[in-house]
Amino acid sequence: AETGRRILAATQQLFLEAPMHEITLQGVAERAGVALQTVLRRFGSRSGLIVAATSDATARVSAQRDRAPVGDPAGAVENLFDHYEEWADVSLKILAEEPRSEEVAALARDGRALHVAWVERVFAPQIRARRGRARLELRCQLVAVCDVHVWKLLRRDQGLSRAAAEKAVLGIVQALCNQGVS
């Protein structure tokens, strides 16, 4: 089991360092400290390895995001920042590589679906409190403000501390959720 985890971790690390099409089984084996045959025995092919590595990462991301409390904007934003502090580089790399690789484009589509589902789940009470077009608008606004690009803009581009960036996003989320509510 440990060998399998090392191989998956090596694949995920290499993805951050090089385009998906440059990841080779030999490179993964070297990074994981195992023989090429070990990688092939465990995963069958490069495609099998990529599927296993992305499934592993997706499961970990889903588990982390599933811990967000429902109906609690502060808890949701804290969960979101926990996620981005760990996974933003991967998310941004996926989005940058999306146009060049169908494998990566599929990851991007899955990531977007996971993000929308997360917003719909954690902000369900706030979204349900709206009617008609206002419901859809709030959902779309929350999807946008909770996007990895907003995290990047605040943390990396503007140089805000995590606490300051989190406070900024929470302020926007609360303003959106309270807008029109009396």
Side-chain angles (χ1 to χ4, degrees), residues 7-177:
I7 293 168
L8 294 177
T11 306
Q12 293 159 357
Q13 290 165 355
L14 287 170
F15 176 70
L16 286 173
E17 299 169 12
M20 177 72 88
H21 71 273
E22 291 181 12
I23 297 173
T24 65
L25 292 174
Q26 184 62 47
V28 170
E30 290 170 7
R31 177 66 62 96
V34 300
L36 175 59
Q37 283 306 107
T38 303
V39 176
L40 286 169
R41 250 192 325 276
R42 286 215 175 243
F43 299 100
S45 66
R46 181 184 180 281
S47 178
L49 174 62
I50 299 300
V51 166
T54 57
S55 294
D56 172 71
T58 300
R60 290 189 290 135
V61 165
S62 293
Q64 183 182 41
R65 297 283 294 260
D66 285 349
R67 290 192 295 268
V70 173
D72 174 11
V77 171
E78 180 181 8
N79 173 269
L80 184 72
F81 271 71
D82 288 346
H83 168 72
Y84 287 147
E85 293 293 321
E86 182 176 351
W87 290 96
D89 290 333
V90 174
S91 297
L92 293 167
K93 176 83 182 327
I94 289 168
L95 294 171
E97 239 186 270
E98 177 181 17
R100 294 183 291 282
S101 166
E102 183 49 43
E103 288 173 313
V104 179
L107 287 173
R109 285 190 299 273
D110 292 348
R112 282 187 196 94
L114 188 142
H115 181 66
V116 169
W118 179 86
V119 166
E120 290 173 341
R121 183 180 70 78
V122 300
F123 296 110
Q126 292 86 353
I127 293 169
R128 278 195 312 261
R130 303 291 173 86
R131 297 287 173 248
R133 184 157 180 80
R135 180 180 284 189
L136 176 62
E137 286 174 0
L138 178 59
R139 178 188 158 276
C140 290
Q141 290 166 332
L142 292 169
V143 166
V145 77
C146 293
D147 187 78
V148 67
H149 288 99
V150 173
W151 177 91
K152 179 190 173 290
L153 176 70
L154 296 172
R155 292 284 284 131
R156 301 256 172 86
D157 300 349
Q158 297 299 309
L160 293 181
S161 67
R162 174 184 169 153
E166 198 171 322
K167 182 178 178 183
V169 170
L170 178 58
I172 296 167
V173 166
Q174 288 174 327
L176 290 170
C177 290

